[in-house]
Amino acid sequence: MPVSRLGLVVHQARPLAVQAAGVVREWCRRNDIGCTDIDVWKDHEHRRGGMEEMQHAGNPDLVVTLGGDGTFLRGARIAAKNGAAVLGVDLGKVGFLTEVACSDVEEALEAVHKDQATIEERMTLTMRASRPLEVPTGIEALLRYGHGPSLPPPAVREESDGWGVALDVTALNDVVLEKLARDHQVSVGVYLSGRLLASYSADALIVATPTGSTAYSFAAGGPILSPHMEAVVFTPVAPHMTFNRTVVAAPDEPVGLRVLPHSGQAAVSIDGQLRGVLDPGDWIGVYGSVRRLRLVRLRPTDFYGRLRDRFRLTDAPATGIDGDLAPFFRPNTPVPPDLAHLRLPPVPTPQPDNPACEAPDATDPTE
């Protein structure tokens, strides 16, 4: 896919990201490709929604993010609006989404431009609601823990009598319904494929994609799913009931969340961003979207190797006597015919030194 226009999302608080952005801009200049900074947080300016941001940037066909998973999610919500590919440059510390090393950024740009990169698709979520989402005055300042301005409530795609309001939402990780008051749980009726599963009293209720299974859902005790799967993951957070397990539904099975009459208000967050507040009686329906996120990959991904590294998994002490384990299904030998259809671990490749990736990084908790 030859690149005609590029959108750049930069974590401005990280010197390494700012320096790598210079490399991207110089590559665009050499190749006569338009480059626009997008999703820039500026004082005294409102933050644009994904579709508005995409149009402001001239509808780029490639979005490059420089930061961690949070920065990647910012770029992904914009790219998904028109099917642009996303190149996530890995400058984070515990992320799973950005897999192109900083030292590979120019190689990756060249590969995309020459149609030599692999495009990997990920499932996303969208939603309908009983009414358009709104953020009451004063709530935003109370709940917004991140830096910079928050996103506006999602725009309405269409209204359909009896089926709720279709919202312009693309969630790569999760949609979360959570309590507003510290001393008051939210009470919610949870429906799967239109049938009541149970009524929950909980701190929060998470509907996640397989990609988002390593985020908030995992922290709440949910399972880790391969990002190559298609599924909808429902996980309650601190429920006051015996049944506290995650339910993994099929990708075509919607999850409905109805705030019960005697519950307090509930906040709706999409990929970690507060986007609205529901009153008792309101509902949202979360389901697999027809929009797919297109991720740029230079080589086969090693999700489980990253899982071990990022979560710092350690082996049981009792296994220490056995020493280091040998590789399983060695990828550096010819693959037998009966294994040729399997997803096998990639062959490790040494990373070249790149001065642009050696700048000292500032201490900042955000990505």
Short mmCIF file of all heavy atoms in Angstrom, two decimals, residues 4-37:
data_model
loop_
_atom_site.label_atom_id
_atom_site.label_comp_id
_atom_site.label_asym_id
_atom_site.label_seq_id
_atom_site.Cartn_x
_atom_site.Cartn_y
_atom_site.Cartn_z
N SER A 4 0.39 7.73 0.77
CA SER A 4 0.22 9.07 0.18
C SER A 4 0.16 10.14 1.25
O SER A 4 0.54 11.29 1.01
CB SER A 4 -1.04 9.12 -0.67
OG SER A 4 -2.19 8.83 0.11
N ARG A 5 -0.33 9.77 2.44
CA ARG A 5 -0.39 10.75 3.54
C ARG A 5 -0.27 10.00 4.86
O ARG A 5 -0.84 8.93 5.03
CB ARG A 5 -1.69 11.55 3.49
CG ARG A 5 -1.72 12.70 4.48
CD ARG A 5 -2.76 13.74 4.13
NE ARG A 5 -2.59 14.94 4.96
CZ ARG A 5 -1.76 15.92 4.67
NH1 ARG A 5 -1.03 15.86 3.58
NH2 ARG A 5 -1.64 16.98 5.46
N LEU A 6 0.48 10.59 5.79
CA LEU A 6 0.77 9.94 7.06
C LEU A 6 0.31 10.81 8.22
O LEU A 6 0.51 12.03 8.22
CB LEU A 6 2.28 9.66 7.15
CG LEU A 6 2.82 8.90 8.35
CD1 LEU A 6 4.03 8.06 7.95
CD2 LEU A 6 3.22 9.83 9.49
N GLY A 7 -0.35 10.19 9.20
CA GLY A 7 -0.73 10.86 10.43
C GLY A 7 0.17 10.40 11.56
O GLY A 7 0.46 9.21 11.69
N LEU A 8 0.65 11.34 12.38
CA LEU A 8 1.65 11.04 13.41
C LEU A 8 1.09 11.36 14.79
O LEU A 8 0.65 12.48 15.06
CB LEU A 8 2.90 11.86 13.14
CG LEU A 8 4.18 11.55 13.91
CD1 LEU A 8 4.60 10.10 13.71
CD2 LEU A 8 5.29 12.49 13.48
N VAL A 9 1.10 10.35 15.67
CA VAL A 9 0.66 10.53 17.06
C VAL A 9 1.89 10.35 17.95
O VAL A 9 2.49 9.27 17.97
CB VAL A 9 -0.43 9.51 17.46
CG1 VAL A 9 -0.93 9.79 18.87
CG2 VAL A 9 -1.59 9.56 16.48
N VAL A 10 2.26 11.40 18.68
CA VAL A 10 3.51 11.40 19.45
C VAL A 10 3.23 11.65 20.93
O VAL A 10 2.47 12.56 21.27
CB VAL A 10 4.47 12.50 18.93
CG1 VAL A 10 5.81 12.43 19.65
CG2 VAL A 10 4.67 12.36 17.43
N HIS A 11 3.84 10.84 21.78
CA HIS A 11 3.81 11.10 23.22
C HIS A 11 4.80 12.23 23.50
O HIS A 11 6.00 12.00 23.66
CB HIS A 11 4.18 9.83 23.99
CG HIS A 11 3.92 9.90 25.46
ND1 HIS A 11 4.28 10.97 26.25
CD2 HIS A 11 3.30 9.03 26.29
CE1 HIS A 11 3.93 10.75 27.50
NE2 HIS A 11 3.31 9.57 27.55
N GLN A 12 4.29 13.46 23.56
CA GLN A 12 5.16 14.62 23.63
C GLN A 12 5.97 14.70 24.92
O GLN A 12 6.99 15.41 24.97
CB GLN A 12 4.31 15.90 23.48
CG GLN A 12 3.60 16.01 22.14
CD GLN A 12 4.55 16.26 20.98
OE1 GLN A 12 5.70 16.66 21.18
NE2 GLN A 12 4.08 16.02 19.77
N ALA A 13 5.56 13.99 25.97
CA ALA A 13 6.29 14.06 27.24
C ALA A 13 7.50 13.14 27.27
O ALA A 13 8.24 13.13 28.26
CB ALA A 13 5.35 13.71 28.40
N ARG A 14 7.73 12.39 26.19
CA ARG A 14 8.85 11.45 26.17
C ARG A 14 9.85 11.88 25.10
O ARG A 14 9.56 11.86 23.90
CB ARG A 14 8.35 10.04 25.91
CG ARG A 14 7.26 9.61 26.90
CD ARG A 14 6.88 8.18 26.73
NE ARG A 14 7.99 7.30 27.04
CZ ARG A 14 7.92 5.97 26.95
NH1 ARG A 14 6.81 5.40 26.55
NH2 ARG A 14 8.97 5.24 27.22
N PRO A 15 11.05 12.29 25.52
CA PRO A 15 12.07 12.75 24.57
C PRO A 15 12.37 11.74 23.47
O PRO A 15 12.61 12.13 22.32
CB PRO A 15 13.29 13.00 25.46
CG PRO A 15 12.73 13.28 26.81
CD PRO A 15 11.51 12.40 26.92
N LEU A 16 12.36 10.46 23.80
CA LEU A 16 12.64 9.44 22.79
C LEU A 16 11.57 9.45 21.70
O LEU A 16 11.88 9.32 20.51
CB LEU A 16 12.71 8.07 23.45
CG LEU A 16 13.04 6.88 22.55
CD1 LEU A 16 14.34 7.10 21.81
CD2 LEU A 16 13.10 5.60 23.36
N ALA A 17 10.31 9.64 22.09
CA ALA A 17 9.23 9.68 21.11
C ALA A 17 9.36 10.92 20.22
O ALA A 17 9.17 10.85 19.00
CB ALA A 17 7.88 9.68 21.82
N VAL A 18 9.69 12.04 20.83
CA VAL A 18 9.85 13.28 20.07
C VAL A 18 11.01 13.15 19.08
O VAL A 18 10.92 13.59 17.93
CB VAL A 18 10.08 14.47 21.02
CG1 VAL A 18 10.40 15.74 20.25
CG2 VAL A 18 8.83 14.69 21.89
N GLN A 19 12.10 12.52 19.52
CA GLN A 19 13.26 12.34 18.63
C GLN A 19 12.93 11.39 17.49
O GLN A 19 13.30 11.64 16.33
CB GLN A 19 14.44 11.82 19.44
CG GLN A 19 15.73 11.74 18.64
CD GLN A 19 16.93 11.45 19.53
OE1 GLN A 19 16.83 11.49 20.75
NE2 GLN A 19 18.06 11.18 18.92
N ALA A 20 12.21 10.31 17.79
CA ALA A 20 11.84 9.36 16.73
C ALA A 20 10.87 9.99 15.74
O ALA A 20 10.88 9.65 14.55
CB ALA A 20 11.22 8.12 17.35
N ALA A 21 10.05 10.94 16.22
CA ALA A 21 9.14 11.64 15.32
C ALA A 21 9.91 12.40 14.25
O ALA A 21 9.47 12.50 13.10
CB ALA A 21 8.24 12.59 16.11
N GLY A 22 11.08 12.91 14.60
CA GLY A 22 11.92 13.60 13.63
C GLY A 22 12.37 12.66 12.52
O GLY A 22 12.47 13.07 11.35
N VAL A 23 12.64 11.40 12.87
CA VAL A 23 13.03 10.41 11.88
C VAL A 23 11.88 10.17 10.90
O VAL A 23 12.08 10.07 9.68
CB VAL A 23 13.44 9.09 12.57
CG1 VAL A 23 13.75 8.01 11.54
CG2 VAL A 23 14.65 9.31 13.49
N VAL A 24 10.66 10.06 11.44
CA VAL A 24 9.49 9.82 10.59
C VAL A 24 9.26 11.01 9.67
O VAL A 24 9.01 10.85 8.46
CB VAL A 24 8.24 9.56 11.45
CG1 VAL A 24 7.00 9.41 10.57
CG2 VAL A 24 8.43 8.32 12.31
N ARG A 25 9.33 12.23 10.20
CA ARG A 25 9.10 13.42 9.38
C ARG A 25 10.15 13.54 8.26
O ARG A 25 9.83 13.93 7.14
CB ARG A 25 9.10 14.67 10.26
CG ARG A 25 7.94 14.73 11.24
CD ARG A 25 7.85 16.09 11.91
NE ARG A 25 6.81 16.09 12.93
CZ ARG A 25 7.01 15.94 14.23
NH1 ARG A 25 8.26 15.78 14.68
NH2 ARG A 25 6.00 15.95 15.08
N GLU A 26 11.39 13.20 8.58
CA GLU A 26 12.45 13.27 7.57
C GLU A 26 12.21 12.24 6.48
O GLU A 26 12.42 12.52 5.28
CB GLU A 26 13.81 13.04 8.22
CG GLU A 26 15.00 12.94 7.26
CD GLU A 26 15.17 14.19 6.39
OE1 GLU A 26 14.69 15.28 6.78
OE2 GLU A 26 15.78 14.07 5.31
N TRP A 27 11.75 11.04 6.85
CA TRP A 27 11.43 10.03 5.85
C TRP A 27 10.31 10.52 4.94
O TRP A 27 10.36 10.33 3.72
CB TRP A 27 11.03 8.72 6.54
CG TRP A 27 10.69 7.62 5.58
CD1 TRP A 27 11.55 6.74 4.99
CD2 TRP A 27 9.39 7.31 5.07
NE1 TRP A 27 10.86 5.90 4.14
CE2 TRP A 27 9.54 6.22 4.18
CE3 TRP A 27 8.11 7.83 5.29
CZ2 TRP A 27 8.45 5.65 3.51
CZ3 TRP A 27 7.03 7.27 4.62
CH2 TRP A 27 7.20 6.19 3.75
N CYS A 28 9.29 11.14 5.52
CA CYS A 28 8.19 11.68 4.72
C CYS A 28 8.68 12.76 3.76
O CYS A 28 8.28 12.82 2.60
CB CYS A 28 7.09 12.25 5.63
SG CYS A 28 6.14 11.00 6.52
N ARG A 29 9.59 13.61 4.25
CA ARG A 29 10.12 14.69 3.41
C ARG A 29 10.88 14.11 2.21
O ARG A 29 10.70 14.56 1.07
CB ARG A 29 11.05 15.59 4.23
CG ARG A 29 11.51 16.84 3.49
CD ARG A 29 12.68 17.50 4.19
NE ARG A 29 13.85 16.64 4.24
CZ ARG A 29 14.67 16.43 3.22
NH1 ARG A 29 14.44 17.02 2.05
NH2 ARG A 29 15.72 15.63 3.35
N ARG A 30 11.71 13.08 2.46
CA ARG A 30 12.51 12.48 1.38
C ARG A 30 11.62 11.81 0.34
O ARG A 30 11.96 11.74 -0.84
CB ARG A 30 13.48 11.44 1.95
CG ARG A 30 14.61 12.01 2.78
CD ARG A 30 15.74 11.01 2.91
NE ARG A 30 15.29 9.69 3.32
CZ ARG A 30 15.24 9.26 4.57
NH1 ARG A 30 15.60 10.08 5.57
NH2 ARG A 30 14.84 8.05 4.86
N ASN A 31 10.47 11.31 0.78
CA ASN A 31 9.59 10.57 -0.12
C ASN A 31 8.41 11.40 -0.61
O ASN A 31 7.49 10.85 -1.23
CB ASN A 31 9.09 9.30 0.57
CG ASN A 31 10.17 8.26 0.75
OD1 ASN A 31 10.45 7.46 -0.14
ND2 ASN A 31 10.82 8.27 1.93
N ASP A 32 8.43 12.70 -0.30
CA ASP A 32 7.39 13.61 -0.75
C ASP A 32 6.00 13.13 -0.31
O ASP A 32 5.06 13.06 -1.10
CB ASP A 32 7.43 13.77 -2.28
CG ASP A 32 6.62 14.97 -2.75
OD1 ASP A 32 6.44 15.92 -1.95
OD2 ASP A 32 6.13 14.96 -3.90
N ILE A 33 5.89 12.78 0.98
CA ILE A 33 4.65 12.29 1.56
C ILE A 33 4.18 13.29 2.62
O ILE A 33 4.97 13.71 3.48
CB ILE A 33 4.85 10.89 2.20
CG1 ILE A 33 5.14 9.87 1.11
CG2 ILE A 33 3.63 10.48 3.02
CD1 ILE A 33 5.57 8.52 1.64
N GLY A 34 2.93 13.68 2.56
CA GLY A 34 2.38 14.59 3.55
C GLY A 34 2.37 13.97 4.93
O GLY A 34 2.07 12.80 5.10
N CYS A 35 2.72 14.76 5.95
CA CYS A 35 2.79 14.27 7.34
C CYS A 35 2.10 15.28 8.25
O CYS A 35 2.48 16.46 8.27
CB CYS A 35 4.24 14.06 7.77
SG CYS A 35 4.44 13.43 9.45
N THR A 36 1.10 14.83 8.99
CA THR A 36 0.34 15.70 9.88
C THR A 36 0.30 15.13 11.28
O THR A 36 0.00 13.94 11.46
CB THR A 36 -1.11 15.86 9.37
OG1 THR A 36 -1.10 16.36 8.04
CG2 THR A 36 -1.89 16.82 10.26
N ASP A 37 0.62 15.95 12.28
CA ASP A 37 0.46 15.54 13.67
C ASP A 37 -1.02 15.49 14.01
O ASP A 37 -1.76 16.44 13.72
CB ASP A 37 1.18 16.52 14.61
CG ASP A 37 2.69 16.29 14.62
OD1 ASP A 37 3.21 15.82 13.60
OD2 ASP A 37 3.31 16.58 15.64
#
